[in-house]
């Protein structure tokens, strides 16, 4: 039986029996399964604490996978600690990044493939982060459509404080018990949770959080929030509200929309209590209740909530959302790149140009094109052409300023730079993505 057939059978069983706890799953993971897990594992990442790269691991691939499989099945597998490094952020601070051992990634990928087949049958439609065939752009579309139909409303823009570092292991095990009771797989998950983090030669342990940088971390995080938020909102919150309401979640970023202010206030008040039951904290300063009612057609920009509140804005997944007139004169929800994200991207680009000041022009140009295409791919959505064009405008000047430093006179004339751009043209700013259903475009 091939890997896809095994996964399909697990998924069918999970779909047919929504309350079933799977007691035998590890037998599906064999050499073919591990080879497929290896194929799906990224090979370009930095090595973990064992310093073994993907290239070195592949030299004796079958032998390594066989040893790994035997250790996994017998319980002799030992999860190595995650190597922690700090990478700079655009605001001058640093962000901790976990780097697991490559072999660890392969085994985690195999376990994720099995668990995903089960939990994809359980997860709600409102969840979009780290799921097959779902993206941040899908989440943006799913958020905009109900808000447009509701004519706007009240939006809860919430922030979970240090989510991935504060998942309670005990609560997570209780949630996993309902669906996954296979001893071999659960033992492996426990080892990953307890593996610890190595930094500056010392290892620290915690009873909170998912494996930093681990392949399995996003799935465990989704399983946890599915219980904490998604199911609770659908079964307990929505039936008690006066008007319409919806939830959209991408990993730990989520937004709740309500037609009535009173409903939004009730949900906003109860959210911290709900999350506290699972050792999580709603950030009091970064979370807010936003009046996002559609402006009155006769009074440009004024709200219609009854209290005279003008519509505000909110941020989600790198975009600022706001009301504006369409080309046809209708009030529609538009999105633009968050000012903070735009600044961060430009700071990172400037740092890269400084670091690669003396690299050959052809190499600089090739990488700059890749960076610009990457920015267009994510931020190039309908209605965001101005912000995307601004990014290209600033990026062009950052590159010129970098080349100024290479010039013997300390300044590269614009006429010469324009000739250079004809040899090495930067990709034109474009918005290749639409997150607006054709039926709702105005």
């Amino acid at each position: 039986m091939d890997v896809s057939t095994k996964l399909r059978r697990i998924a069918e069983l999970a779909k047919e029996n929504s309350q079933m706890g799977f007691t035998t799953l590890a037998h599906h993971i064999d050499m073919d399964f591990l080879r497929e897990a290896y194929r799906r594992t990224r090979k370009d990442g930095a090595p973990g604490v064992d310093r073994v790269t993907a290239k070195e691991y592949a030299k004796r691939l079958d032998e390594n996978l066989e040893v790994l499989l035997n250790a996994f099945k017998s319980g002799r597998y030992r999860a190595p600690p995650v190597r922690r490094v700090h990478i700079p952020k655009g605001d001058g601070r640093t962000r901790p990044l976990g780097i697991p051992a490559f072999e660890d990634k392969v085994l985690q990928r195999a376990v994720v493939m099995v668990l995903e087949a089960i939990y994809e049958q359980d997860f709600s439609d409102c969840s979009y982060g780290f799921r097959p065939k779902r993206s941040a752009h899908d989440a943006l579309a799913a958020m905009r459509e109900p808000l447009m139909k509701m004519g706007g409303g009240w939006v809860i823009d919430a922030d979970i404080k240090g989510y991935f570092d504060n998942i309670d292991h005990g609560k997570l095990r209780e949630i996993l018990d309902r669906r996954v009771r296979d001893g071999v797989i659960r033992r492996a998950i426990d080892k990953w949770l307890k593996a610890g983090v190595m930094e500056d030669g010392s290892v620290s342990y915690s009873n909170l959080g998912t494996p930093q940088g681990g392949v399995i971390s996003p799935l465990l995080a989704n399983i946890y929030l599915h219980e904490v938020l998604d199911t609770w909102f659908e079964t307990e919150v929505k039936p008690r509200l006066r008007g319409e309401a919806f939830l959209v979640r991408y990993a730990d970023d989520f937004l709740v929309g309500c037609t009535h202010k009173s409903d939004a206030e009730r949900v906003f008040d109860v959210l911290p209590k709900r999350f506290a039951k699972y050792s999580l904290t709603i950030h009091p300063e970064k979370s807010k209740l936003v009046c996002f009612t559609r402006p009155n057609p006769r009074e440009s920009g004024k709200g219609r909530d009854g209290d005279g509140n003008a519509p505000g804005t909110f941020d989600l997944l790198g975009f600022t959302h706001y009301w504006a007139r369409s080309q046809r004169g209708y009030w529609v929800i538009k999105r633009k790149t968050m000012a903070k994200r735009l600044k961060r991207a430009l700071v990172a680009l400037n740092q890269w140009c400084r670091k690669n000041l003396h690299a050959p022009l052809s190499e600089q140009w090739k990488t700059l094109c890749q960076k610009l295409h990457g920015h267009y791919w994510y931020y190039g959505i309908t209605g965001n052409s101005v912000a995307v064009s601004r990014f290209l405008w600033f990026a062009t000047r950052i590159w010129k300023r970098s080349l100024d430093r290479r010039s013997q006179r300390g300044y590269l004339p614009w006429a010469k730079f324009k000739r250079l751009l004809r040899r090495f043209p930067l990709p034109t700013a474009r918005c290749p993505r639409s997150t607006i259903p054709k039926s709702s475009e105005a």
Side-chain angles (χ1 to χ4, degrees), residues 170 283 413:
H283 203 299

Side-chain angles (χ1 to χ4, degrees), residues 84 96 161-167 206-210 212 280:
R84 177 184 284 170
K161 196 173 182 179
Y163 173 60
F164 287 89
D165 294 331
N166 289 289
I167 293 175
S206 174
N207 292 322
L208 299 172
T210 55
Q212 281 195 2
L280 299 174

Side-chain angles (χ1 to χ4, degrees), residues 48-50 79-86 95-101 104 108 164-166 169 190-214 217:
V49 293
D50 59 0
V82 173
R83 183 166 70 91
R84 177 184 284 170
V85 297
H86 292 267
R95 178 169 63 90
L97 178 68
I99 304 175
D104 221 23
Q108 285 188 28
F164 287 89
D165 294 331
N166 289 289
H169 292 177
D190 276 345
K191 288 177 180 179
W192 288 321
L193 292 174
K194 296 175 182 177
V197 175
M198 177 176 285
E199 186 173 9
D200 297 329
S202 61
V203 181
S204 59
Y205 301 92
S206 174
N207 292 322
L208 299 172
T210 55
Q212 281 195 2
S217 182

Side-chain angles (χ1 to χ4, degrees), residues 400 403-416:
K400 181 188 179 300
L403 296 179
D404 285 345
R405 298 187 181 96
R406 285 174 47 137
S407 175
Q408 292 182 351
R409 67 178 72 177
Y411 177 75
L412 178 66
W414 270 101
K416 189 174 182 180

Side-chain angles (χ1 to χ4, degrees), residues 224-277:
Y224 201 70
L225 267 188
H226 173 72
E227 173 70 21
V228 177
L229 180 62
D230 303 353
T231 304
W232 168 75
F233 182 81
E234 193 63 34
T235 60
E236 297 187 36
V237 175
K238 282 181 69 174
R240 292 178 168 85
L241 301 180
R242 287 173 51 212
E244 295 179 58
F246 70 91
L247 165 71
V248 172
R249 180 175 68 82
Y250 187 90
D252 60 328
D253 288 324
F254 71 93
L255 176 143
V256 177
C258 301
T259 51
H260 296 302
K261 182 180 180 181
S262 58
D263 286 343
E265 288 175 336
R266 288 176 63 194
V267 177
F268 192 63
D269 288 341
V270 78
L271 269 177
K273 301 170 188 175
R274 172 66 180 180
F275 276 70
K277 289 175 64 175

